[in-house]
Amino acid sequence: TSNTITGLLVATGTQAYSQATTGDLGRFKMARHATTMIENVGGMPTGAVINPNDWELFETSTGLDEHFIMAGGVAGSEPVMWRVPYLSTRWIAPGTILVGDFRDGAEIVEREGPQVSFADQDGDDFKYNRIAMRFEQRLGLAIFRPEFFVKLTLTS
């Protein structure tokens, strides 16, 4: 719960790009351009993080002939776009996509391994047969190459 790890979206030196063209086509062009931006600085995109609502926009995008742009539909398909795997999670804000070289750009550093403690001596815990549990782990985020990450902003 500590706020000492601020994350990749606010790290100094990360790249940013906003959707230039509105609509379905603009979203796909923006996602592809992120790959180019990372490759231009020597990285290779290994993944992207996207909100489920935004992933739905991509999956349900249609071309001018009203056919779905992405393959899969009812049968489903791997969440991959432009050779980059996408992870859909509610923990990233709608309208924001993080694309990056997660292998070479950053690393989670463990200072202390997981520690679990139990106690029944807090207040009335012993009296009411309660046990408190605490789980701790000390981690840090080392960002070696912030330019290997691109924050995309959807405009529509």
Side-chain angles (χ1 to χ4, degrees):
T1 61
S2 173
N3 60 356
T4 57
I5 298 177
T6 56
L8 293 164
L9 291 173
V10 296
T12 302
T14 57
Q15 301 186 70
Y17 186 74
S18 295
Q19 181 180 342
T21 309
T22 59
D24 294 341
L25 186 58
R27 278 191 294 275
F28 279 93
K29 285 182 175 182
M30 176 192 62
R32 177 59 182 94
H33 187 63
T35 297
T36 302
M37 291 173 73
I38 294 168
E39 289 174 344
N40 280 337
V41 294
M44 179 60 67
T46 58
V49 183
I50 188 171
N51 185 278
N53 296 317
D54 297 331
W55 184 244
E56 179 185 17
L57 288 174
F58 280 100
E59 284 193 314
T60 59
S61 294
T62 56
L64 297 176
D65 60 357
E66 297 186 12
H67 285 88
F68 289 110
I69 294 173
M70 293 183 77
V74 182
S77 63
E78 292 294 317
V80 175
M81 192 167 30
W82 305 116
R83 301 175 311 275
V84 177
Y86 275 67
L87 171 68
S88 174
T89 177
R90 65 186 178 105
W91 295 107
I92 191 165
T96 301
I97 303 170
L98 176 65
V99 182
D101 183 342
F102 292 91
R103 186 178 309 119
D104 295 329
E107 177 182 352
I108 296 201
V109 181
E110 183 179 63
R111 181 172 173 229
E112 289 181 22
Q115 297 182 17
V116 181
S117 306
F118 297 93
D120 62 359
Q121 292 122 11
D122 183 32
D124 290 336
D125 283 352
F126 183 78
K127 180 179 175 181
Y128 292 107
N129 201 27
R130 295 184 295 211
I131 295 178
M133 181 181 90
R134 177 177 56 195
F135 176 85
E136 288 183 314
Q137 186 173 18
R138 295 194 176 217
L139 302 171
L141 178 63
I143 304 172
F144 307 116
R145 302 288 305 265
E147 68 274 15
F148 280 11
F149 298 93
V150 179
K151 176 184 176 182
L152 299 175
T153 303
L154 294 168
T155 57
S156 66

